[in-house]
Amino acid sequence: MVIDSTRMKSLADRLAGDEVKGRSLWADARKRFFKNKAAVGGLIVLLFVLAFAAFGDLIAQYSNEELDFSIMGQIAEKGGPSLANGHYFGTDDLGRDLFARTVQGTQISLAVGIVGSAIAVLVGTFYGAFAGYVGGRTDNIMMRTVDILMSIPYMFVLILLLVVFGRSIIMLFMGIGLISWLDMSRIVRGQTLSLKHKEFIEAAEATGVSRLTIIRRHIVPNLLGVVAVYATLLVPLMILTESFISFLGLGVQEPLTSWGALISEGSGTLNYGTFWQLAFPLFFFVITLFAFFFVGDGLRDALDPKDR
């Protein structure tokens, strides 16, 4: 076989001249995420819903509490969606602008979902990381406490808190967040057990770094991928919980509203032909839940493609 030395030299020069550029884990994850069409579509929908919540009040022609007396009493005939009178989504049975109320409902439902999941993630992450890293009797006591709390009906506890301490938006935030961290703590503990015997953890221990510092600087940062995925999937569960509570009449109180309250009102007036009272809040509720689930699945596949 005759080898063309000139061609081989040219190929070697090109290979030697190519600069090998490495990519970080997050860069690879971002690339895989944006290849997932469902996840990207969900992200676009979430951005649309967030923009609607943030800037919808600037577009609304009426406030969420303002009554339109020209329509009151004739909702089925005159209260439908109309660009001419400024009621883009129509009005409710009291003559209030449904567009403005849907904007407010979106703001409150998203706030409950995001704030509640943030509380659950913070409490569950540090609780599970501490239990998993310390181990021994402390771990047993902490996790048996979690098992006992998980045996108590979640919805019953939330309803009891709202009845005893009053129905307020702050109590709803705290109630949903503080009883939703249990699953998070179990997940984080399991991941911590697989990390605590790694070389970099043992090196930190050998140099005399304290337990809390190791948890804060070494354990928790290595759990961010799992935490991010679970937090994304936790938000729609929080929104579902808040909507169910508001549907029962135990959530936010007038003049505030949420998707659950709007859906409850819309379903109650559906027999009168005012279908728009149910359709618009339900539309935003459904697309937001699907979007969060798609984004969560995309993050899970991007951060850990072996699980696909």
Side-chain angles (χ1 to χ4, degrees):
M1 177 182 291
V2 179
I3 300 177
D4 190 340
S5 59
T6 304
R7 182 178 299 177
M8 292 296 294
K9 183 178 180 181
S10 176
L11 178 60
D13 291 340
R14 289 201 303 271
L15 290 175
D18 290 339
E19 183 181 355
V20 178
K21 296 182 179 180
R23 285 202 304 264
S24 66
L25 172 65
W26 293 103
D28 286 337
R30 184 170 60 250
K31 183 178 180 181
R32 286 193 294 267
F33 178 84
F34 283 105
K35 284 184 178 180
N36 189 326
K37 294 181 180 179
V40 173
L43 182 61
I44 293 173
V45 170
L46 284 182
L47 292 176
F48 163 73
V49 174
L50 288 173
F52 176 78
F55 305 109
D57 289 331
L58 302 178
I59 304 174
Q61 298 294 316
Y62 301 87
S63 70
N64 61 297
E65 300 179 29
E66 187 175 353
L67 304 179
D68 192 337
F69 293 99
S70 65
I71 295 178
M72 189 179 299
Q74 305 179 64
I75 302 298
E77 296 80 11
K78 299 182 179 180
S82 173
L83 297 178
N85 60 13
H87 296 298
Y88 308 131
F89 289 176
T91 60
D92 64 5
D93 52 333
L94 296 179
R96 295 174 295 187
D97 183 52
L98 189 59
F99 181 88
R101 288 179 62 75
T102 304
V103 170
Q104 186 188 54
T106 303
Q107 293 171 347
I108 291 181
S109 293
L110 287 179
V112 170
I114 294 173
V115 174
S117 63
I119 294 174
V121 166
L122 287 174
V123 175
T125 297
F126 286 100
Y127 188 95
F130 185 83
Y133 179 71
V134 174
R137 181 177 297 179
T138 301
D139 180 31
N140 287 330
I141 294 174
M142 293 178 70
M143 298 317 296
R144 296 300 76 76
T145 303
V146 169
D147 293 339
I148 293 172
L149 292 176
M150 291 186 71
S151 67
I152 302 174
Y154 169 86
M155 197 60 65
F156 173 77
V157 174
L158 181 57
I159 293 174
L160 186 62
L161 288 174
L162 291 172
V163 171
V164 172
F165 296 102
R167 292 180 293 170
S168 66
I169 190 67
I170 302 299
M171 193 63 231
L172 196 60
F173 284 161
M174 299 298 294
I176 291 179
L178 290 179
I179 60 179
S180 302
W181 58 270
L182 302 173
D183 287 330
M184 185 77 242
S185 66
R186 293 169 68 95
I187 293 173
V188 170
R189 174 186 176 269
Q191 295 294 320
T192 302
L193 290 176
S194 66
L195 286 174
K196 64 184 295 185
H197 298 299
K198 297 290 185 180
E199 289 81 1
F200 64 94
I201 300 295
E202 293 178 349
E205 292 173 346
T207 56
V209 180
S210 65
R211 288 178 172 179
L212 291 179
T213 303
I214 290 176
I215 293 173
R216 180 169 53 88
R217 292 186 178 179
H218 300 290
I219 299 293
V220 173
N222 282 280
L223 299 174
L224 288 180
V226 175
V227 170
V229 172
Y230 188 77
T232 308
L233 298 176
L234 192 61
V235 172
L237 297 179
M238 296 289 181
I239 294 175
L240 276 171
T241 302
E242 181 277 327
S243 298
F244 178 71
I245 292 296
S246 296
F247 190 86
L248 295 178
L250 295 173
V252 295
Q253 300 183 63
E254 294 288 353
L256 300 177
T257 190
S258 67
W259 283 335
L262 290 172
I263 291 171
S264 178
E265 294 172 4
S267 62
T269 60
L270 194 59
N271 293 331
Y272 301 104
T274 58
F275 65 92
W276 58 85
Q277 279 192 250
L278 177 64
F280 288 107
L282 187 61
F283 169 75
F284 281 93
F285 176 76
V286 170
I287 65 170
T288 303
L289 292 187
F290 274 105
F292 270 114
F293 284 129
F294 285 147
V295 170
D297 287 340
L299 283 175
R300 182 188 59 196
D301 293 342
L303 293 171
D304 193 0
K306 292 182 294 184
D307 287 344
R308 285 183 291 182

